[in-house]
Amino acid sequence: MNASARRPLGPRGAAGLLATAVLLTGGLAGTAQAEDEAPLTLPITASKTHVDVDLADHAEGMQGPEATIGFKGPGEEPEPDEEGVIYPVRYADFKVTVDASDLEGVASVDLSGLHNCDVEDMVAVCSGWEVYAGEYYNELGSIQFNANSRSASGDTGTVRITGEGENLTFTPQSIDVLVGGATYKGRTLTEPKGFAAGDTLKAPLGFRNAGGQDGKGAVLKVHGSYGLLFEQRYRNCTYTETTTGSLLHQGTDVVCVFPGTFEAGAAYELSAPMEIATHDYAAFDIVHYRFSTGTASGTGKPGDGPELTLREVPGADAGDYATYTELDFPTNTPIDLELTGASVKGGKGDTVTAELGFRNNGPAWISSLRSGGEPIRFTVGTPEGTTVTKAPANCRQANVEDRREYLCSVATPMLPDAAYDLPFELRVDKVVAGAKGKAALPDGGRPDSDPSNDTAWIVVNGDQDTTPGEDDEPTPGPGDGEDDGQDGDGGAKDGEQDGDTGGGLASTGAGNALLIGGGALLLTALGAGLYLIRRRAAGTTAV
């Protein structure tokens, strides 16, 4: 029976839909693929090229290991342009085939985690037509491996991944599968009670060999996000610090190597807890680690401290160990987001600029690590008697019918003291004394230590010394504006990290392009594509 696993609409799908619309209307030149483009060589990638399937997981009803596959496009990982859009480097039809038929009688393989694939038996054929730079946006999804009733310790098999496409050459990849081999599961971590930003976590890292065979050597890989520090550096470990690019991907990678044989069923721990310090602004930072077999060392800078070793833990409880080991912490760092308003005056026909402001007063940074840099959104109402003639680039009309409210987005991650100007140009169509529009962060959003400054006002022709009361709501006015307000600028003040939009700002900025050649139809078809957000890992929504 055929099954189809469809990729959810995200930056890849939505950008492709937008590009299709543009081609149909002739709105943007140069997006159609030229027939004489030079061939591209695309290496197929796999997060794991060797997988150990644990018989104990099958007996306990637990899911087995996963491997994420995709391919690598030319160039570095792309960053969104000023409108928040990421474009492919080429449009070309391609197919990637995942053939797991060699695992028949060895292990079960679940291919439903692949995107845009037709699955039959143990073979999936994945199709697409967008090639992006780097690897991130060329992911095809994941494969999961599990033991079954026919699996036996020592069984082996191979998953073969190949591809083909127009002017594309795919370098094949394979994943070797071993049943009942050495399987290292990490000791779970918890945040100590009362832990706060600035404290140091003494992490008791360790593993249990849950497989059916002894393991030869152990390699520990640790990743700490931007707000975490590894100040104690051991000489049998290497350290790589990433300090460029989006804050989403900055942090420290640690690789430690331990020779020896690690017996099946036995548990081991580090000779000393790994000390992980936190910055004063740390909040919902992530540390994750894993042990695997082998003796391959890292490529970073070796430490100059004492040697870190492993020691056996007698009588360890198997329930204290898991396949995935990570911790989000600190979880109690307060944060204060602030909106500031503006008061302006003007006569009928005048155009005035109201400077709204947005600021992270801290002390926490907004990491958004779990959401992949999801932006912070808030609404801005239009004062009665006025029309927005120019809105900030990161603000879009939330109500198309009466054009009275805007939805604004501010990119994350965001450090403490980051501040943004949001200038709205307003034409005064009718002089209304004390006309006001309300800017407000949504209720039920991120926890805020001071909710009193989550609301601000644009006041037109009012008393500048008078602030509207909390219960004063903007009075709806006529919706006869003449401009869609999608071509303004919203600049960042001191505190914003240059080029640090991450995956945050979601707006496509394609409003004017959509008006070329039948835009009304496309607005209906592409309503869901006006905000492109790359959502990564699910799980706890991080601040």
Side-chain angles (χ1 to χ4, degrees):
M1 178 180 295
N2 288 337
S4 179
R6 298 299 177 193
R7 176 170 49 192
L9 184 65
R12 291 174 286 185
L17 184 59
L18 176 59
T20 302
V22 170
L23 288 174
L24 289 174
T25 61
L28 290 178
T31 55
Q33 178 179 337
E35 295 181 357
D36 59 350
E37 285 179 320
L40 287 181
T41 298
L42 306 174
I44 294 176
T45 60
S47 61
K48 298 176 182 177
T49 57
H50 177 86
V51 172
D52 289 312
V53 178
D54 189 0
L55 289 170
D57 281 347
H58 173 64
E60 297 170 7
M62 299 176 62
Q63 296 295 328
E66 287 185 346
T68 300
I69 66 168
F71 58 87
K72 185 174 183 178
E76 301 297 325
E77 296 295 334
E79 294 286 348
D81 65 10
E82 64 278 3
E83 301 291 347
V85 182
I86 295 174
Y87 293 102
V89 296
R90 180 171 295 185
Y91 296 101
D93 290 330
F94 65 82
K95 291 183 178 180
V96 174
T97 300
V98 181
D99 186 350
S101 57
D102 191 47
L103 296 183
E104 181 70 31
V106 174
S108 298
V109 59
D110 184 357
L111 303 174
S112 64
L114 299 173
H115 309 312
N116 291 347
C117 303
D118 291 325
V119 180
E120 186 169 2
D121 296 328
M122 302 181 76
V123 178
V125 178
C126 308
S127 59
W129 65 286
E130 298 166 332
V131 177
Y132 291 84
E135 298 182 43
Y136 187 81
Y137 291 96
N138 294 318
E139 282 187 7
L140 298 174
S142 61
I143 310 169
Q144 186 172 69
F145 303 88
N146 295 285
N148 56 38
S149 58
R150 293 187 291 172
S151 301
S153 181
D155 285 352
T156 61
T158 301
V159 177
R160 294 177 173 85
I161 310 166
T162 58
E164 59 181 351
E166 299 176 357
N167 279 334
L168 303 175
T169 300
F170 287 85
T171 303
Q173 182 62 272
S174 61
I175 302 174
D176 295 325
V177 178
L178 171 64
V179 176
T183 301
Y184 295 169
K185 294 190 175 183
R187 182 175 177 177
T188 55
L189 299 175
T190 57
E191 180 180 19
K193 185 177 180 179
F195 192 90
D199 292 348
T200 296
L201 176 71
K202 295 183 178 181
L205 306 187
F207 72 92
R208 176 177 177 269
N209 184 354
Q213 299 177 10
D214 293 349
K216 303 299 182 182
V219 178
L220 167 64
K221 295 183 178 180
V222 185
H223 175 77
S225 60
Y226 181 80
L228 306 181
L229 300 167
F230 295 83
E231 296 174 331
Q232 174 65 280
R233 302 205 165 188
Y234 299 94
R235 67 170 179 262
N236 59 321
C237 303
T238 62
Y239 299 81
T240 301
E241 295 182 354
T242 301
T243 58
T244 59
S246 169
L247 292 179
L248 284 173
H249 309 300
Q250 292 189 35
T252 305
D253 290 283
V254 183
V255 179
C256 305
V257 180
F258 307 92
T261 298
F262 300 95
E263 297 179 358
Y268 302 85
E269 66 181 4
L270 296 181
S271 54
M274 182 163 285
E275 296 185 2
I276 306 173
T278 59
H279 283 287
D280 290 341
Y281 55 77
F284 288 95
D285 278 86
I286 300 175
V287 60
H288 60 79
Y289 80 94
R290 62 183 294 266
F291 282 90
S292 59
T293 58
T295 56
S297 60
T299 58
K301 182 179 180 180
D304 56 4
E307 181 178 3
L308 195 61
T309 61
L310 287 168
R311 62 193 178 199
E312 189 171 353
V313 181
D317 185 348
D320 293 337
Y321 298 83
T323 301
Y324 303 103
T325 42
E326 58 188 8
L327 179 67
D328 296 40
F329 73 108
T331 56
N332 295 310
T333 314
I335 190 168
D336 175 27
L337 303 181
E338 178 182 8
L339 289 171
T340 56
S343 180
V344 295
K345 293 184 181 293
K348 183 176 181 180
D350 290 347
T351 297
V352 295
T353 300
E355 292 269 359
L356 286 177
F358 177 94
R359 183 179 181 86
N360 175 18
N361 292 324
W365 77 306
I366 303 172
S367 63
S368 297
L369 297 173
R370 291 294 181 187
S371 65
E374 183 175 359
I376 298 171
R377 295 186 179 88
F378 54 92
T379 55
V380 178
T382 305
E384 180 184 359
T386 67
T387 296
V388 175
T389 59
K390 193 174 185 180
N394 51 334
C395 296
R396 294 290 178 269
Q397 288 173 353
N399 190 325
V400 176
E401 292 183 359
D402 64 20
R403 308 160 74 90
R404 305 307 299 168
E405 190 172 66
Y406 283 74
L407 179 67
C408 297
S409 301
V410 179
T412 64
M414 181 187 297
L415 292 177
D417 299 324
Y420 293 80
D421 285 328
L422 298 161
F424 280 82
E425 292 188 8
L426 305 172
R427 185 182 65 235
V428 180
D429 300 319
K430 177 183 178 181
V431 175
V432 178
K436 53 190 179 292
K438 183 178 181 180
L441 290 162
D443 294 332
R446 290 172 169 82
D448 197 309
S449 62
D450 184 9
S452 67
N453 57 16
D454 291 353
T455 300
W457 300 85
I458 298 175
V459 181
V460 180
N461 291 319
D463 185 349
Q464 295 188 21
D465 297 327
T466 301
T467 301
E470 179 63 28
D471 296 329
D472 293 342
E473 295 294 335
T475 305
D480 57 353
E482 299 175 0
D483 192 284
D484 64 4
Q486 297 187 20
D487 57 353
D489 291 321
K493 291 181 180 178
D494 293 342
E496 181 190 9
Q497 299 298 298
D498 292 341
D500 208 12
T501 59
L505 194 56
S507 121
T508 67
N512 293 331
L514 294 176
L515 295 178
I516 301 175
L521 176 62
L522 292 175
L523 278 173
T524 302
L526 298 180
L530 290 178
Y531 292 91
L532 306 181
I533 303 171
R534 174 70 176 178
R535 295 181 181 270
R536 293 292 295 156
T540 305
T541 300
V543 173

